Amino acid sequence: MAKTEIPYKIYLEEKEIPKYWYNVRAFMTPHPPFMNPATLKPCTADDLRPVFCDEVIEQELNFTDPYIEIPEEIRNFYKMYRPSPLVRAYCLERALNTPAEIYYKFEGNNTSGSHKLNSAAAQVYYAKKQGLKSLTTETGAGQWGTALAMAAAYFGLDLTVYMVKVSSEQKPYRKEVMRTYGATVVPSPSNTTNAGRKLLEEYPGSGGSLGCAISEAIEKALTSDSCRYVLGSVLDHVLLHQSIIGIEAKTALDKYGITPDVIIGCAGGGSNLGGLISPFMGDKLQGKNDIRFIAVEPASCPSLTRGKYVYDFCDSAKTTPLAKMYTLGCGFMPSANHAGGLRYHGMSPVVSQLYHEKKMEAVTVEQTKVFEAAVMFAKTEGILPAPESSHAIRVAMDEAIKCKQTGEKKKILFGLTGTGYFDLAAYKQYNDGTISDNIPTDADLQKGFATIPDFPINN
Amino acid sequence: MAKTEIPYKIYLEEKEIPKYWYNVRAFMTPHPPFMNPATLKPCTADDLRPVFCDEVIEQELNFTDPYIEIPEEIRNFYKMYRPSPLVRAYCLERALNTPAEIYYKFEGNNTSGSHKLNSAAAQVYYAKKQGLKSLTTETGAGQWGTALAMAAAYFGLDLTVYMVKVSSEQKPYRKEVMRTYGATVVPSPSNTTNAGRKLLEEYPGSGGSLGCAISEAIEKALTSDSCRYVLGSVLDHVLLHQSIIGIEAKTALDKYGITPDVIIGCAGGGSNLGGLISPFMGDKLQGKNDIRFIAVEPASCPSLTRGKYVYDFCDSAKTTPLAKMYTLGCGFMPSANHAGGLRYHGMSPVVSQLYHEKKMEAVTVEQTKVFEAAVMFAKTEGILPAPESSHAIRVAMDEAIKCKQTGEKKKILFGLTGTGYFDLAAYKQYNDGTISDNIPTDADLQKGFATIPDFPINN
């Protein structure tokens, strides 16, 4: 029974926090398996065990169970900041003068400032349950590192975060949040690992890269039996944990009898988008709805729209298993002037597969237009959005403006993944008029594609 | 009828956003009136009209109506971030192993990051209703300026914020949030006003003070008929607007049949504390409860606990009306090493009166212990608190620890006024071990007291 008046914020009750994650893979054509780059055979659990936690590996390889139980300890952690609000963007609708209904699921309502905490809590809990003592990870902009530091502090595990050196210098306060939560933050490249020392020898004074930070974090994890590495996006288990976003959004909309016409999410590694769309996509794959799904990526890093669907490394240092995904090449680097996040060269295999099968669309947006949308959103809706999230805002606004022209009363749902409180250097660039769009040329892309490994599985 | 199981977060429904502010003065002995420093007679509405909005002046002088209606336009603004959550601090209780129940009303759940938005929205709305075009204010740490920038953007008024120059340099990102919301941020002292130019002549290269920024903002407001000055704390109308904190907290607790044994709030100018306690104090003054109220101030700026109850200027430039309040002298400056906010020399006349009549208590806490509590809170409750709010956390934790010793199951409510996302320079000092307690000596206090005006009304 649909209620009639929709409030600005639809909060679920605590007891409505989902008890199960939604495994959309159970309804999909299975995506091609991760490959061991040494053998070029599908990765087994044993291949992954030295690096990842056991339970996480099991989830990574589970393509069949549609529902996977969320342990009570994780649900208790979620109670600190979940259920997150589903917001009806009345103020934005009025400002756009659109007949469309705009909804957003807001995941920035916690100190880490983004959805990353959903998977961080799960991964740290499983590590603790396995008797591990410490974890390592890498972080670029710092959202994932912060989320993991919060979860590690709560569950009492040690955490070492390899933070891309140039980021740790540009975002000293992000580093400080992690330190406050007790994490050790090591600017990467560092002299604490072989990978770091090697890079420093070759490039003294290097500002680092995500690829090198990943290599350092994995190397550190491999040095101890009681330590593992954790990753905040791309992989299937991360999307699984993020499905809580979509489940809550669907539960809230169902209360008011609303099925979105279109669901929009920004896409870097794909974890937020994959999580948001999971239960809606599962229904679509079962013929229960006809929702349009739109992945939004920055014009400066267009993996879905201009990339190749091939096997590639997940990191630029070429140390990880190979994933079949849309990729710009593991050596592709978006312009240093790109402030808006979503800098990953590839795309989650789940999202890649859905896009490849035309179950969803993808569009790119330019950075200046993204920040224009961000500022309008901040002024009308009262939330300063993360630049990443603002990619979705831009396209949601464009869809709503189209409705104004056609008179359609479309129901638009998008994911507001986080807040921009630690991205004010980027906003300053925008306010100062020094932001640029950084669209790679075809020649730039060719250079990236040249770094895709030339393995037989790609031929 | 009390429900039994209390969730982590008690959210009220949107329709439960209060329709009236609570005017605690209706139940109090009226505090001594503001005085015109030129005539030493009580300020009239006409005295205040060139500086403040008409409706705000009416509220300032209304000592009799217990309920003052919140206009629908302001309530619509509140819907963007209110009702704010009342949180049961289960995780903190477990960490402290206390039999006490700890609750906090969290006001940091909006982009301005603090409760200041509650009064900003009201003041900007009244300015708009009066047909004004622009507003001015000063800001130190930046919370008030940010809140006002958000409200001004929403209601479409121009805003000029005079930001203490040293703060604008130390907190460039605070400034950037205000710019993003369209405010003009002028580092003070500036050469845009006589007050600024005079100070710059006397002290070239000065980093500014809140006193000078207030003088510049008032001077700017006086230059135009369509411009007024707005203030974010201390005054009665600000406490009135902040009463929404207490009303919502009381409504949420009432649902579960809970009356707090003790209510704790940090106190700088007194607006958050006054707002939080208002409806509970009103009941106490009518003999309906016997709650203990505790104001917490920093040991470095102890206006209630070591100040004098006399008439003093509200600003250090001696341009405002005189208020009867606990004060350290309008020329008192807390140590520059004090990172924890709450730097105001005086205290709201309402809070001062309540304290003077022994309706409430006051304690001081030292900065190192405040940050210890802040970090423990962040790790257990998952919210990085503002240093200001952490003063209340410290005392709430101390009360809960006492309960552990006595076995009492006290119900403790405190105000968590905001988040510390823009205070990470202070956390860095703490993490680096360079924070200090900065307790003023008696000689320091004497220097401050010497700046209290020697008017006959003080003899």
Side-chain angles (χ1 to χ4, degrees), chain A residues 327-347:
Chain A
T327 177
L328 297 165
C330 59
F332 177 84
M333 292 282 281
S335 162
N337 291 325
H338 176 64
L342 311 174
R343 304 171 67 89
Y344 189 60
H345 68 274
M347 181 55 65

Side-chain angles (χ1 to χ4, degrees), chain A residues 5-9 11-12 14 76-83 85 90-91 94 106 108-113 150 153-154 170 172-174 176-177 179-182 375 377-384 419 421-422 424-425 427-429 431-432, chain B residues 5-9 11-12 14 76-83 85 90-91 94 106 108-113 150 153-154 170 172-174 176-177 179-182 375 377-384 419 421-422 424-425 427-429 431-432:
Chain A
E5 199 180 334
I6 299 164
Y8 280 57
K9 289 181 261 88
Y11 274 107
L12 302 177
E14 187 171 291
N76 279 339
F77 184 93
Y78 285 162
K79 285 177 188 170
M80 291 197 295
Y81 68 103
R82 305 205 71 86
Y90 282 116
C91 299
R94 275 197 293 271
F106 180 40
N109 227 355
N110 67 74
T111 285
S112 80
M150 288 179 68
Y154 179 90
Q170 284 171 354
Y173 294 156
R174 266 286 179 197
E176 216 51 45
V177 185
R179 281 182 78 200
T180 300
Y181 277 98
V375 170
F377 184 84
K379 287 183 177 176
T380 51
E381 287 291 314
I383 297 172
L384 187 80
T419 51
Y421 306 151
F422 294 101
L424 283 157
Y427 276 96
K428 183 172 191 327
Q429 277 183 272
N431 292 334
D432 290 344
Chain B
E5 196 178 337
I6 300 163
Y8 279 57
K9 289 182 259 86
Y11 275 107
L12 301 177
E14 186 171 291
N76 279 340
F77 185 93
Y78 285 162
K79 285 176 189 170
M80 291 198 295
Y81 69 102
R82 307 205 69 86
Y90 282 116
C91 300
R94 276 197 293 272
F106 179 41
N109 228 355
N110 68 74
T111 285
S112 81
M150 288 179 68
Y154 179 91
Q170 284 171 355
Y173 293 157
R174 266 284 179 201
E176 216 52 46
V177 186
R179 280 184 76 201
T180 300
Y181 278 97
V375 170
F377 184 83
K379 287 183 177 176
T380 51
E381 288 290 316
I383 298 171
L384 187 80
T419 52
Y421 306 151
F422 293 100
L424 283 156
Y427 276 95
K428 183 172 190 330
Q429 278 182 269
N431 292 334
D432 290 345

Side-chain angles (χ1 to χ4, degrees), chain A residues 37-262:
Chain A
T39 63
L40 296 187
K41 289 189 178 154
C43 281
T44 63
D46 285 341
D47 285 338
L48 301 170
R49 223 175 291 283
V51 176
F52 293 105
C53 301
D54 296 350
E55 186 93 24
V56 152
I57 295 167
E58 197 171 299
Q59 293 177 349
E60 187 67 26
L61 300 176
N62 185 338
F63 284 68
T64 49
D65 295 332
Y67 301 101
I68 292 176
E69 192 168 359
I70 307 178
E72 195 188 347
E73 292 85 347
I74 298 174
R75 297 179 70 239
N76 279 339
F77 184 93
Y78 285 162
K79 285 177 188 170
M80 291 197 295
Y81 68 103
R82 305 205 71 86
S84 73
L86 182 85
V87 186
R88 170 78 184 267
Y90 282 116
C91 299
L92 183 61
E93 290 171 18
R94 275 197 293 271
L96 295 173
N97 191 22
T98 175
E101 294 178 12
I102 307 175
Y103 300 86
Y104 56 92
K105 181 70 170 166
F106 180 40
E107 292 291 319
N109 227 355
N110 67 74
T111 285
S112 80
S114 84
H115 67 293
K116 299 273 183 184
L117 197 53
N118 301 328
S119 185
Q123 295 196 54
V124 174
Y125 167 73
Y126 289 127
K128 184 179 182 174
K129 196 179 149 205
Q130 193 177 327
L132 300 174
K133 301 295 176 207
S134 62
L135 293 170
T136 69
T137 198
E138 81 290 336
T139 201
Q143 285 184 337
W144 170 243
T146 309
L148 205 58
M150 288 179 68
Y154 179 90
F155 287 111
L157 267 73
D158 285 339
L159 173 67
T160 304
V161 180
Y162 290 88
M163 186 171 189
V164 178
K165 189 187 254 173
V166 61
S167 286
S168 85
E169 285 163 2
Q170 284 171 354
K171 299 194 170 194
Y173 294 156
R174 266 286 179 197
K175 184 169 69 179
E176 216 51 45
V177 185
M178 292 184 255
R179 281 182 78 200
T180 300
Y181 277 98
T184 302
V185 183
V186 181
S188 167
S190 77
N191 58 16
T192 67
T193 65
N194 291 326
R197 282 188 291 266
K198 183 154 172 277
L199 193 90
L200 283 171
E201 260 172 44
E202 283 175 39
Y203 305 97
S206 161
S209 70
L210 207 54
C212 177
I214 293 176
S215 306
E216 289 206 89
I218 293 179
E219 183 181 330
K220 165 97 174 171
L222 290 171
T223 58
S224 162
D225 266 358
S226 64
C227 184
R228 290 292 184 284
Y229 168 73
V230 284
L231 191 65
S233 189
V234 181
L235 298 180
D236 291 16
H237 67 270
V238 182
L239 268 72
L240 176 71
H241 303 153
Q242 297 298 355
S243 69
I244 196 165
I245 304 172
I247 303 167
E248 284 186 7
K250 189 166 183 307
T251 305
L253 289 171
D254 282 348
K255 279 184 196 285
Y256 293 89
I258 299 161
T259 302
D261 295 295
V262 54

